[in-house]
Amino acid sequence: MRKYYLLLIAGGISFGTASIFIKLSGMTPGSIAFLRFFIAGLILSLGKINVKKVLKYMPFGFLLALHMITFIISVYTTTIIDATVLVSTSPFFVILLSPLLKFPVSRRDVLAITTGFIGVVILNYPFQAGYLTGNLIAILSAFLIALYTAGLSRVKEDSLVLTSSIYLSSSIFTLPVFLLQGFGKLDEKSLLALLGLIALPTLLGHTSIIVSSGKVKPQHIETIGLLEPVVATILAIPIFNQIPNVFEIVGSALVILSILLVVKKS
């Protein structure tokens, strides 16, 4: 059990690189979403695509693709801070889904999730006035990833087959957006950033969620995922020379505390 939590922590840390690579790439949201899942799916399938499995797990590919697209849209239609905070409500949606999908939620889980969310709110303080439509889309994005994570906990399948199938099916749903938007900026820097996105937040980050599903509670998976804004804040120091303020330090500490509550019990 411990190895799955360690894998999730590594995955959570890798998620923190996503916004950095996206900002450095200059590529369109459609090209990023499609290429990262398509290439990662090909790598994990080892060139042997199981079409039946890709079709079977299309619902999960659809949820993952829709989550990513709605989050990108929310970033463009509201403030980045609002989008980040509202998408971080996903652990609460997992708890709301628990009676339907019949997995246990303890008081400690609720405490950990609440602590982590408060940490994310403080980390992003002070707020800027966002826009209602973008905020609602960010909440929808949180619900979609919660439904995706909770649903995965009920799937029994070889991890490699499941992961590659979900990535390839997700790329099918993101392909129209890619064709509509094109590549955007395309040079050596953007290609290196794309490779970073594929290697870290995709092959390590999203794969850690799929591999750990069924072994780790969905609410624990989503709570550990809150590491993303913490790591992004840390990486912004040397890369963009952005020094964290008091709110970012306190908020990051609360997020780490929430993860310790989850991991220590388990």
Side-chain angles (χ1 to χ4, degrees):
M1 182 66 72
R2 182 182 298 176
K3 65 181 181 182
Y4 294 110
Y5 280 91
L6 291 174
L7 177 62
L8 283 168
I9 290 172
I13 292 171
S14 73
F15 280 135
T17 66
S19 59
I20 304 295
F21 285 131
I22 289 171
K23 189 168 184 178
L24 291 172
S25 74
M27 298 175 71
T28 65
S31 64
I32 291 171
F34 170 74
L35 291 171
R36 67 187 289 192
F37 286 129
F38 181 68
I39 295 173
L42 287 180
I43 292 172
L44 293 177
S45 69
L46 303 176
K48 299 177 181 179
I49 300 174
N50 190 327
V51 178
K52 289 184 178 180
K53 296 291 185 181
V54 172
L55 294 174
K56 179 180 179 181
Y57 295 114
M58 265 193 164
F60 292 104
F62 176 71
L63 287 173
L64 183 59
L66 204 55
H67 156 70
M68 185 154 295
I69 290 170
T70 51
F71 177 66
I72 292 171
I73 292 173
S74 72
V75 169
Y76 283 111
T77 52
T78 186
T79 63
I80 294 177
I81 291 175
D82 283 357
T84 302
V85 171
L86 292 172
V87 168
S88 297
T89 60
S90 59
F92 291 106
F93 283 114
V94 171
I95 289 179
L96 292 175
L97 290 167
S98 62
L100 179 64
L101 297 176
K102 298 179 181 179
F103 54 84
V105 176
S106 67
R107 292 182 179 179
R108 191 185 184 102
D109 291 342
V110 176
L111 174 62
I113 290 169
T114 304
T115 302
F117 179 69
I118 291 173
V120 173
V121 171
I122 294 174
L123 192 151
N124 289 280
Y125 188 84
F127 300 108
Q128 301 174 31
Y131 300 92
L132 179 60
T133 301
N135 290 344
L136 291 175
I137 293 173
I139 293 173
L140 173 61
S141 182
F143 173 75
L144 289 168
I145 195 64
L147 185 60
Y148 168 81
T149 304
L152 275 175
S153 65
R154 301 172 64 87
V155 176
K156 304 296 181 183
E157 179 65 84
D158 176 79
S159 297
L160 198 61
V161 173
L162 179 61
T163 306
S164 61
S165 299
I166 289 176
Y167 288 169
L168 289 172
S169 63
S170 184
S171 69
I172 294 172
F173 292 109
T174 55
L175 178 59
V177 184
F178 169 50
L179 294 176
L180 182 66
Q181 296 180 337
F183 281 99
K185 183 182 177 182
L186 193 60
D187 55 21
E188 183 179 347
K189 183 179 178 181
S190 61
L191 289 175
L192 287 173
L194 177 63
L195 290 175
L197 276 168
I198 294 169
L200 293 176
T202 308
L203 285 175
L204 178 55
H206 282 287
T207 301
S208 71
I209 293 177
I210 298 174
V211 172
S212 302
S213 295
K215 289 90 174 176
V216 176
K217 289 181 179 180
Q219 61 269 31
H220 289 189
I221 293 175
E222 287 300 306
T223 302
I224 293 173
L226 296 179
L227 270 172
E228 180 176 355
V230 176
V231 176
T233 299
I234 295 171
L235 290 177
I237 299 173
I239 297 175
F240 300 114
N241 198 30
Q242 295 178 2
I243 307 301
N245 56 37
V246 174
F247 294 111
E248 289 172 329
I249 294 172
V250 172
S252 297
L254 286 175
V255 171
I256 293 171
L257 175 61
S258 72
I259 294 168
L260 289 175
L261 286 170
V262 164
V263 174
K264 185 178 180 181
K265 179 187 176 183
S266 305

